[in-house]
Amino acid sequence: MDDLKNATQRKASFAATMKAVFWSFFGVRKRSDYESDAAKLNPLHVVIAGIIGAAIFVTALVLIVKMVVAQ
């Protein structure tokens, strides 16, 4: 229980979390960056950022498909 409490009290900003998730979507991460993120990022923020990133990605794909099909 203490591990979960400690994990959710990590002090990385939400912007840092979004940046980490963005690079993870590309699949381009240095091992040192990954280890640093694992120690600093709040897991709840990672989940929220992942959902936001996935929604943006799907929306972008839908818009691209609509533009291509409309022509």
Side-chain angles (χ1 to χ4, degrees), residues 35-55:
E35 290 170 354
S36 172
D37 289 344
K40 293 179 184 176
L41 296 179
N42 182 329
L44 181 61
H45 290 172
V46 174
V47 170
I48 293 168
I51 292 169
I52 291 170

Side-chain angles (χ1 to χ4, degrees), residues 14 16-22 25 43-56:
F14 191 71
T17 304
M18 287 299 292
K19 179 182 172 188
V21 169
F22 172 76
F25 269 96
L44 181 61
H45 290 172
V46 174
V47 170
I48 293 168
I51 292 169
I52 291 170
I56 292 170

Side-chain angles (χ1 to χ4, degrees), residues 1-22:
M1 186 70 168
D2 287 335
D3 291 339
L4 180 61
K5 185 176 180 182
N6 290 338
T8 58
Q9 292 179 349
R10 294 179 184 165
K11 297 296 182 190
S13 69
F14 191 71
T17 304
M18 287 299 292
K19 179 182 172 188
V21 169
F22 172 76

